[in-house]
Amino acid sequence: GGGDTPEQAEKNRYLRQALSIVFDWEEFVTIFQNDQGLVAHGPLPPGVRGYQPLPEGINHTVYELEDPYVKRRSIDEAKALLAKAGYPNGRDAETGAPLILYFDSAGGMGSNASLDWMRRQLEKIGVQMEVRATDYNRFQDKMQRGVAQMFMWGWVADYPDAENFLFLLYGPHARAQGGGENASNYSSPEYDALFEKMRFLDDGPEKDEVITQMVQIVQHDAPWMFGYVPNSGGVYQQWVYNAKPSQMVRNAIQYLRIDPQLRVEKQAQWNQPVWWPLWLVLGLAMVGAVFVWRVLRQREQQAVQKEM
């Protein structure tokens, strides 16, 4: 997808690839997530069958491998792709007009720190970004009609299988055409054919190979900047069992097990009353009372002596 003619579709792909390179998600995670996230190279998160860790799962469109390191491609490469897309130095090759991309944001006035960061990323290759901020209902309406150009959205899977992520790019699930969850309205006959094959395969090498091909297609077409996978963390008392933080399953309370006896024992152990601060306060109060009494007593005696 991404163009009415094959030539235009290819130019749009070059533009998306350039944007994917220039958006430094490693920097974003460091600044806005306090380093608590993993930059994604594809649509699948760790822990889901079909996910490939680095370097096997590298997104070659955005990164290059300098063994043993994975390095984001240079700004010069992004500029070269932008020129192939028809926008050398961020300007239309035919009209000279600046390239302006519109980012739809649900809520806010369009000037918070993360949006300013996004603007700076595009400025690296001479592209301008304007924010169209609106309320969430209006944002949903734009998504439903497929008129949003750039946006940031996340996904929490219903079940830990590759299908529940890869269907977000399945053409027949396009939101603008069928009201599905393919919010980017991405369409690729090759990808769709592989998805239809993959969904009926049992777990095994054949399914893994199909998933790898699908991921490589969307890495090349770059309908998404894959962003990052947030880290999960949790703190639990020792009487809580089956607790495991996860971004995958959010309704985990029903699976927790509690040892009530251990809970009572620990609470009794940890909540022993500490009396010495009370005795200290009472002692200080008594000392203070004696001191005040003596001062008053001395003043009374002095008053009596003056009268005499």
Side-chain angles (χ1 to χ4, degrees), residues 141-181:
D141 178 66
K142 288 184 177 182
M143 301 302 295
Q144 201 69 31
R145 293 185 291 115
V147 297
Q149 193 174 59
M150 294 179 66
F151 56 91
M152 183 183 291
W153 232 355
W155 177 253
V156 179
D158 303 297
Y159 50 91
D161 188 87
E163 180 187 355
N164 201 244
F165 293 92
L166 298 177
F167 90 108
L168 298 172
L169 292 162
Y170 181 49
H173 288 171
R175 176 158 298 200
Q177 284 76 40
E181 292 296 339

Side-chain angles (χ1 to χ4, degrees), residues 288-302:
V290 170
F291 177 77
V292 171
W293 177 81
R294 292 185 62 179
V295 170
L296 293 175
R297 181 67 175 171
Q298 290 175 356
R299 289 181 179 177
E300 290 177 357
Q301 291 177 351
Q302 291 174 356

Side-chain angles (χ1 to χ4, degrees), residues 60-118:
H60 287 284
T61 298
V62 180
Y63 296 85
E64 55 187 340
L65 184 61
E66 293 185 354
D67 195 38
Y69 301 106
V70 172
K71 178 184 176 183
R72 182 173 290 273
R73 294 187 180 275
S74 68
I75 298 299
D76 288 339
E77 291 181 79
K79 288 181 177 179
L81 287 167
L82 191 64
K84 292 171 71 175
Y87 298 97
N89 299 314
R91 291 187 172 272
D92 191 299
E94 296 180 0
T95 67
L99 175 59
I100 302 174
L101 299 179
Y102 296 95
F103 182 89
D104 279 278
S105 173
M109 297 303 293
S111 60
N112 64 41
S114 62
L115 295 178
D116 289 340
W117 177 86
M118 291 181 187

Side-chain angles (χ1 to χ4, degrees), residues 214-231:
M214 296 172 69
V215 170
Q216 289 174 348
I217 289 172
V218 295
Q219 286 175 334
H220 176 68
D221 285 346
W224 294 352
M225 286 181 276
F226 299 106
Y228 65 96
V229 180
N231 290 349

